Amino acid sequence: MKANGINYDSSVSLQTIEKDLATKKSSFSSDLQIKIEQLQDADYVYLSDSGDVYSSKRGYLGKADKIEENNISDTSSSLQNSTITPLSQSNPTVSEIFGGTTGAFERRQLGSSGFNGIISNVTLPTISNVTVNEQPWVYYGFENSVGALEGGYAYQTGSGIWLPYIKNVASGYLYADSAYAKSSGTTVNNFKFYIQLASGQTYYTAYLVEVGATNTVVRFASTPWTSISDLSVKRVTSIGQNNFNGSDILTKSMNQKWDSVQVSKYNSGGIYTSWSAFIEYSEWKNNMWYGTIDCTSSYVHRSNGYVSLYL
């Protein structure tokens, strides 16, 4: 109205203004009439300080939940998949976790930025109460939409030793020679898993290495990748069991630790950077959690950097 050169007191009702305009013969009165009708037809919603919600047309609508300002996250990241994140991340069921029915585990994962190497000082856990059809594991992994690969240590329930291994789709589990076996509680310094393209080859090869005076390759295997620019990397401590229901694993895995964890990317020139320099990946999609997650919170216990798995 002010744009049309008409000044009205804010306390005057729309009905009064509409009646006044009806007596005026001007070029702008018809436009204002339309706008006033639109305003009169609008539905206004009012939120009181106590959380009561009212509508100008529908009356009382109910009570709104209050969300503290410091709990509001960046919508650009939380809504990137146009989905609403459930409240189950801190305590999900096995069916809400990708890979959840394969056993109890702590999984830490970085996103699909082309990681091609990971190294750390890994302390192997002490295992007790070993139960049939349950097997502890400590391993690294790479994955993308093409496939997945893991390499680390597998607990041998018969002998009580840890053997290095690589698992790929084509060959399954490939174990290292028993000369590289370790006992529970051992810390393997500079234990490395990386992917490299050999000269003249199309597919990358994965290498599991104990970095020392001789940089011993304890196991190597083929990979499904001709390109690794979108690989993610993870590290996992777990007790495997088929059809895990969230409470039926009896084996205990105590005091596993990853220390001085570093990762490299395909375009880094072989330079390794601290894991903590990157933001861990966690995503809700396909009605389950991917990436960093505990399976389940009742099994995963942490103390002074160590991780134990038991119920």
Side-chain angles (χ1 to χ4, degrees):
M1 292 180 64
K2 288 183 178 180
N4 285 279
I6 301 177
N7 293 315
Y8 277 94
D9 190 296
S10 59
S11 63
V12 177
S13 69
L14 286 175
Q15 288 81 3
T16 300
I17 296 172
E18 185 180 24
K19 187 181 295 183
D20 189 17
L21 286 177
T23 65
K24 298 181 181 293
K25 302 298 182 180
S26 63
S27 60
F28 52 74
S29 62
S30 59
D31 293 334
L32 286 176
Q33 182 72 33
I34 292 173
K35 291 179 181 178
I36 289 172
E37 289 175 357
Q38 290 174 339
L39 289 171
Q40 289 176 325
D41 191 51
D43 186 7
Y44 302 95
V45 177
Y46 169 75
L47 174 64
S48 71
D49 291 338
S50 61
D52 294 307
V53 182
Y54 299 89
S55 162
S56 63
K57 287 193 170 186
R58 292 166 289 166
Y60 182 66
L61 298 180
K63 211 169 188 65
D65 291 330
K66 183 178 180 182
I67 301 176
E68 298 296 335
E69 186 175 352
N70 59 4
N71 288 332
I72 300 175
S73 61
D74 179 9
T75 56
S76 65
S77 58
S78 63
L79 298 180
Q80 62 180 351
N81 294 304
S82 299
T83 59
I84 302 300
T85 299
L87 300 178
S88 66
Q89 187 174 19
S90 62
N91 189 25
T93 63
V94 294
S95 63
E96 292 177 317
I97 300 171
F98 178 69
T101 59
T102 64
F105 56 79
E106 180 209 55
R107 181 172 66 213
R108 308 286 294 275
Q109 188 165 354
L110 301 181
S112 305
S113 298
F115 293 97
N116 70 339
I118 180 169
I119 186 171
S120 75
N121 302 330
V122 55
T123 300
L124 299 171
T126 299
I127 306 302
S128 63
N129 201 33
V130 179
T131 303
V132 175
N133 298 322
E134 299 175 3
Q135 184 175 8
W137 306 83
V138 175
Y139 63 91
Y140 304 126
F142 298 104
E143 63 185 49
N144 66 3
S145 60
V146 174
L149 194 75
E150 63 184 56
Y153 285 95
Y155 185 74
Q156 308 302 297
T157 56
S159 59
I161 61 173
W162 291 87
L163 268 183
Y165 79 98
I166 293 178
K167 177 189 176 184
N168 66 8
V169 175
S171 306
Y173 291 94
L174 303 171
Y175 289 91
D177 188 272
S178 60
Y180 301 109
K182 300 291 188 293
S183 58
S184 293
T186 299
T187 297
V188 184
N189 291 320
N190 301 315
F191 188 59
K192 183 178 183 181
F193 191 39
Y194 70 96
I195 297 171
Q196 184 172 296
L197 187 63
S199 178
Q201 298 299 307
T202 301
Y203 288 87
Y204 282 78
T205 300
Y207 301 88
L208 196 62
V209 180
E210 291 183 3
V211 178
T214 58
N215 289 342
T216 304
V217 176
V218 300
R219 183 74 253 187
F220 67 90
S222 59
T223 79
W225 301 302
T226 58
S227 173
I228 58 173
S229 61
D230 62 345
L231 287 187
S232 67
V233 62
K234 62 185 176 183
R235 64 184 200 261
V236 181
T237 179
S238 73
I239 302 173
Q241 180 212 70
N242 290 331
N243 301 315
F244 176 48
N245 68 12
S247 63
D248 59 339
I249 286 179
L250 302 179
T251 301
K252 294 184 178 182
S253 174
M254 304 297 294
N255 299 322
Q256 189 274 324
K257 188 177 185 180
W258 306 99
D259 197 23
S260 302
V261 186
Q262 296 181 306
V263 292
S264 67
K265 298 174 71 172
Y266 75 102
N267 56 359
S268 69
I271 296 175
Y272 280 73
T273 305
S274 173
W275 177 284
S276 62
F278 302 91
I279 297 175
E280 291 191 353
Y281 158 75
S282 186
E283 180 182 17
W284 174 261
K285 64 179 181 179
N286 303 325
N287 294 319
M288 61 181 64
W289 285 106
Y290 288 72
T292 296
I293 199 73
D294 292 342
C295 184
T296 62
S297 58
S298 59
Y299 270 90
V300 180
H301 306 270
R302 300 182 180 88
S303 178
N304 299 319
Y306 291 88
V307 174
S308 297
L309 302 175
Y310 61 88
L311 187 61

